[in-house]
Amino acid sequence: MDPEVSVLLHCERWQGLLQSQVQVELSERFNRQIDPAVELHIDELWTGRVSKEPWLFNGAKFRLHSFCFATQKQPPSTHSSNIPFLNCAEDQNRQTNSCINQTEPVADVIQQTDTKLLQDFSTCGCTEQKDATPELPSRCGPFLTLRLGLTCYKDYLGTNWSSQVAELRRRGEVEFGDPLALLAQPLGVGAVLRTADSQVVLIRRSQRVAEAGGFLDLPGGHPEPKVVCERLGQAVCEEDISVVMMQPEVVVSELFSSVCAEIRDEVNVPLSSLGEPVLLGVALNHTSAGRPSAEFYVSCSLTSDEVRKFYWKGGAEAHESTDVVFVSRTEVLQLDSSSPLWSELCPSAKGAVLLYQIVKPDGEPDDKSTIQNGPR
């Protein structure tokens, strides 16, 4: 649909996943592969970037290595994040399930993956409805395991955004069998935030932000390893953080809570107005070498007018955007590359919209299509 983005994984079968249905596996083996020449290149790029933008700082980030869908009675279905579409890249359990060809159109891949998951869950022990569609209560989770290592913002700029990224991908494939082995691949988060009057909240990115200045985006950012350490009572510098300092369940909590924190900081709405985040899936941004972002759906008890008023009062990260825009749920569900609004969206927003259209976590009759721009 759009060469800038693709869907790595989606959670349509469950209309999204709650925090209790997701787990993480942390390991240093999921970190980026280290190479002396690459490290020198990263240092040079970072020094040059900071000299021009002294406000930049390096922070630890989580690195998405791969993911695994699991059921109670069948072996996990394992997928690698180095494939641009849903794809079975490794088969550690010698499954009989067939892999999906990575060259297939994303729509076909999504349909085939859903069929497989439906077959898996027909034997997971859940109660089935009369129409033979499996009922999937939360007690059957977790359904999804994310395999995470650590990386940092400096490495992200020096690999995913490097002019040599094509060579890094080639070397990764040749030397490690993984084109992303030498890339940072930090995991971001984003939110499709829906107001009480069925409007989806977009923000106009400031020209000062590092990426996609001037484009429309959804509230988002990153889950922070430092926050996980702090919750565990460990005061540590960003550079000293390691996976052994963290607990998987606290990382999952940070993954889900960070998206609400980003909404609070960027849109300035109170956390008390936000519903429980629902994971839609993971999208890949191909303008930054396939950088992954976990996209969520979050409901808001405030109307669009109330959200607008909060926004213009200014939040902790008000400098990152210049305007708030509201688009009806119906229009968001109908957006595609032929829509005028599509060209205004930055890649991360496009990925979130694609996942929202697939998963439809708030499935209900469409509302009237409107678009409202918030005045200053």
Side-chain angles (χ1 to χ4, degrees):
M1 176 180 175
D2 190 309
E4 292 186 340
V5 295
S6 65
V7 171
L8 175 68
L9 71 95
H10 70 78
C11 307
E12 181 187 14
R13 183 55 55 197
W14 312 274
Q15 286 191 291
L17 295 178
L18 301 176
Q19 181 175 323
S20 62
Q21 297 168 318
V22 178
Q23 62 184 5
V24 302
E25 180 183 352
L26 294 168
S27 175
E28 291 183 353
R29 71 180 186 275
F30 301 146
N31 292 355
R32 180 179 63 85
Q33 295 292 331
I34 301 300
D35 176 89
V38 175
E39 308 319 300
L40 179 60
H41 176 66
I42 292 172
D43 287 340
E44 291 174 349
L45 288 179
W46 178 252
T47 300
R49 187 72 178 264
V50 172
S51 67
K52 298 177 181 178
E53 304 170 72
W55 57 84
L56 292 179
F57 69 94
N58 189 25
K61 306 298 177 188
F62 291 105
R63 181 180 190 269
L64 179 63
H65 174 273
S66 54
F67 68 94
C68 172
F69 281 118
T71 66
Q72 288 187 331
K73 294 188 177 181
Q74 290 193 354
S77 174
T78 305
H79 305 257
S80 168
S81 65
N82 65 16
I83 305 301
F85 301 122
L86 286 159
N87 182 58
C88 178
E90 51 183 328
D91 194 4
Q92 298 175 343
N93 296 285
R94 298 185 181 278
Q95 304 170 68
T96 58
N97 299 317
S98 60
C99 293
I100 298 171
N101 191 316
Q102 63 176 314
T103 61
E104 293 180 80
V106 66
D108 296 339
V109 173
I110 289 169
Q111 179 61 44
Q112 291 186 42
T113 302
D114 278 348
T115 302
K116 180 203 173 297
L117 292 176
L118 180 58
Q119 293 170 347
D120 286 350
F121 279 94
S122 67
T123 59
C124 80
C126 301
T127 303
E128 294 189 12
Q129 300 174 343
K130 291 182 180 180
D131 63 359
T133 300
E135 183 180 349
L136 302 172
S138 60
R139 66 176 179 272
C140 291
F143 298 136
L144 175 65
T145 299
L146 299 175
R147 291 172 175 151
L148 303 178
L150 286 176
T151 186
C152 65
Y153 186 63
K154 172 184 174 181
D155 288 0
Y156 171 57
L157 292 182
T159 59
N160 287 67
W161 277 105
S162 169
S163 60
Q164 299 179 19
V165 67
E167 174 62 15
L168 293 177
R169 290 178 63 95
R170 186 197 67 79
R171 285 191 55 193
E173 180 65 49
V174 171
E175 298 173 22
F176 304 100
D178 176 1
L180 303 182
L182 293 168
L183 304 188
Q185 293 298 95
L187 179 64
V189 294
V192 177
L193 177 64
R194 182 187 174 186
T195 65
D197 51 345
S198 295
Q199 300 291 314
V200 173
V201 181
L202 300 174
I203 52 178
R204 179 78 65 181
R205 292 174 64 86
S206 166
Q207 292 291 350
R208 186 176 176 180
V209 296
E211 300 173 40
F215 284 83
L216 289 175
D217 199 2
L218 297 166
H222 302 86
E224 301 290 349
K226 186 175 182 179
V227 172
V228 173
C229 292
E230 290 172 347
R231 289 180 182 175
L232 293 170
Q234 304 180 60
V236 61
C237 296
E238 296 271 5
E239 295 79 7
D240 298 329
I241 294 175
S242 66
V243 294
V244 298
M245 298 177 177
M246 294 178 281
Q247 296 176 5
E249 61 273 16
V250 184
V251 175
V252 175
S253 176
E254 166 62 8
L255 178 64
F256 277 75
S257 63
S258 65
V259 73
C260 290
E262 293 291 349
I263 294 171
R264 175 200 61 198
D265 294 343
E266 295 184 6
V267 187
N268 198 37
V269 296
L271 291 176
S272 59
S273 70
L274 304 179
E276 185 175 6
V278 177
L279 178 64
L280 303 174
V282 175
L284 302 179
N285 181 347
H286 296 294
T287 65
S288 52
R291 182 264 186 92
S293 181
E295 306 296 347
F296 294 81
Y297 165 78
V298 180
S299 62
C300 181
S301 60
L302 304 174
T303 66
S304 54
D305 284 341
E306 291 170 324
V307 170
R308 181 184 291 111
K309 290 176 182 177
F310 274 108
Y311 174 84
W312 288 116
K313 289 180 180 179
E317 297 180 359
H319 62 282
E320 294 187 1
S321 65
T322 60
D323 198 5
V324 62
V325 173
F326 299 91
V327 182
S328 76
R329 173 182 182 272
T330 298
E331 183 168 352
V332 172
L333 289 173
Q334 295 173 348
L335 281 177
D336 58 29
S337 57
S338 66
S339 306
L341 185 62
W342 188 262
S343 62
E344 291 194 64
L345 299 178
C346 65
S348 59
K350 292 177 180 179
V353 167
L354 288 177
L355 282 165
Y356 182 62
Q357 293 173 339
I358 294 166
V359 178
K360 297 184 180 68
D362 55 348
E364 61 184 47
D366 290 347
D367 47 23
K368 293 182 179 180
S369 177
T370 59
I371 178 169
Q372 308 170 20
N373 290 290
R376 182 175 290 278

